[in-house]
Amino acid sequence: MCMSKSTQYVSRQPDANGVIHWSDEENQIWHDLVERQLQIIRGRACDEFMHGLDLLNLPHNRIPQLHEVNEVLARETGWQVAQVPALINFDEFFKLLANKQFPVATFIRTREEFDYLQEPDIFHEIFGHCPLLTNKAFAHFTHTYGKIGYAASKQDRVYLARLYWFTVEFGLLKQADSLRIYGGGILSSPGETLYALESDKPERHDMVPLEALRTPYRIDIMQPVYYTLNGLDDLFGLAEMDMMALVEEAKQLGLHAPKFPPKPQKMAS
């Protein structure tokens, strides 16, 4: 989700034929990001993600055009990606998901932010998320989540954002007697891909939706807590739960204590 208050990035606009004209350097950054991440995720990403990558058949030497991704998603699950500005609000975000459209900001990070940036760029959205949008369980959960979020109040959306964070963005699952990754926020980050599975620092808990709704997070650090599914098909069951009843219960119980320090405040000049 791209909900930051400000960004240095500006999304590129397509021409009259829907084609975005990327520079040679932007295409090279895409190539370098893809090649690096492909080496890291093998044996760590869940099988469904790797299958989705095969279906998408993303080019390595250039940033894909959105219509190329849409052809595969439409065939597999009826989803599409939608070009959006670098920043969108919650209302637009949930509306897009409710209509089976996944927002993609059409900019790519600079070399200076090659390893990490807070705003989700086209690499994060296309490489990190779109492979699993070919999967029916993941696609159904994301669609249901969008419909519920679009109808929710502003306060309730803050709680729902935590469920999205600990599933779609930073979710783990059990597969082949080991832990694997399905969250796009991890799978588009080389550092967090290794950290999420191999570091002894984070806590890893079985997914209990009520607990996830009550767990604070920060977007600018390695996650101190991950929630784990027994398999991707668990998302079907998660989608059928009464999410808003769980949100109400979470509001009554309150948030868990953060497992991270407060974000440093910028000094006034």
Side-chain angles (χ1 to χ4, degrees):
M1 286 183 287
C2 204
M3 305 298 169
S4 302
K5 293 182 179 179
S6 63
T7 177
Q8 63 168 316
Y9 293 102
V10 178
S11 288
R12 285 185 169 274
Q13 298 301 308
D15 66 16
N17 297 315
V19 175
I20 296 173
H21 298 276
W22 300 96
S23 70
D24 290 344
E25 171 61 6
E26 287 168 327
N27 283 323
Q28 187 63 45
I29 289 172
W30 168 272
H31 168 272
D32 295 348
L33 287 167
V34 169
E35 290 293 329
R36 178 177 69 169
Q37 200 61 11
L38 283 176
Q39 297 299 315
I40 294 171
I41 65 172
R42 296 197 187 282
R44 297 184 176 97
C46 68
D47 293 343
E48 294 88 345
F49 180 87
M50 299 306 294
H51 179 62
L53 266 184
D54 289 342
L55 290 173
L56 287 174
N57 193 27
L58 298 172
H60 291 196
N61 64 332
R62 62 173 175 82
I63 300 172
Q65 297 295 329
L66 299 191
H67 69 83
E68 297 173 303
V69 177
N70 280 338
E71 288 169 12
V72 179
L73 296 183
R75 182 187 73 224
E76 297 297 325
T77 56
W79 273 75
Q80 298 280 271
V81 292
Q83 189 268 338
V84 297
L87 301 177
I88 61 173
N89 59 34
F90 268 131
D91 204 52
E92 182 65 16
F93 173 75
F94 283 116
K95 183 179 180 181
L96 286 167
L97 296 188
N99 288 302
K100 293 188 176 182
Q101 294 179 293
F102 198 83
V104 173
T106 46
F107 70 90
I108 195 163
R109 67 195 69 185
T110 62
R111 290 281 175 191
E112 289 71 32
E113 294 190 288
F114 191 77
D115 291 328
Y116 174 79
L117 77 166
Q118 291 190 25
E119 308 97 316
D121 65 350
I122 195 167
F123 174 74
H124 170 89
E125 304 290 27
I126 297 293
F127 185 93
H129 288 302
C130 285
L132 278 181
L133 282 172
T134 67
N135 177 271
K136 288 180 172 54
F138 185 90
H140 175 64
F141 171 76
T142 309
H143 182 215
T144 303
Y145 176 85
K147 290 188 290 185
I148 292 169
Y150 189 53
S153 69
K154 183 177 181 180
Q155 181 188 17
D156 290 345
R157 286 174 174 178
V158 176
Y159 279 82
L160 287 170
R162 297 189 189 101
L163 184 63
Y164 188 92
W165 186 262
F166 290 114
T167 53
V168 174
E169 291 290 356
F170 287 89
L172 303 177
L173 57 77
K174 298 169 185 174
Q175 191 168 76
D177 297 322
S178 65
L179 274 183
R180 300 283 185 88
I181 304 164
Y182 74 95
I186 308 175
L187 288 169
S188 58
S189 165
E192 193 128 11
T193 297
L194 298 175
Y195 171 87
L197 295 186
E198 297 167 26
S199 172
D200 59 2
K201 292 181 180 179
E203 298 177 15
R204 302 172 186 88
H205 302 295
D206 290 342
M207 168 53 77
V208 178
L210 179 62
E211 295 303 297
L213 289 166
R214 299 176 61 207
T215 302
Y217 65 86
R218 263 179 60 181
I219 67 172
D220 60 337
I221 59 173
M222 296 288 191
Q223 297 307 300
V225 178
Y226 299 100
Y227 285 96
T228 302
L229 302 178
N230 288 316
L232 204 62
D233 281 351
D234 280 6
L235 291 176
F236 279 125
L238 199 56
E240 299 312 311
M241 289 182 177
D242 188 340
M243 286 191 204
M244 294 315 300
L246 289 171
V247 167
E248 286 304 312
E249 189 174 354
K251 286 158 66 176
Q252 293 297 320
L253 292 169
L255 296 182
H256 292 303
K259 296 183 182 294
F260 51 78
K263 190 172 183 179
Q265 297 296 313
K266 291 183 178 179
M267 298 294 291
S269 57

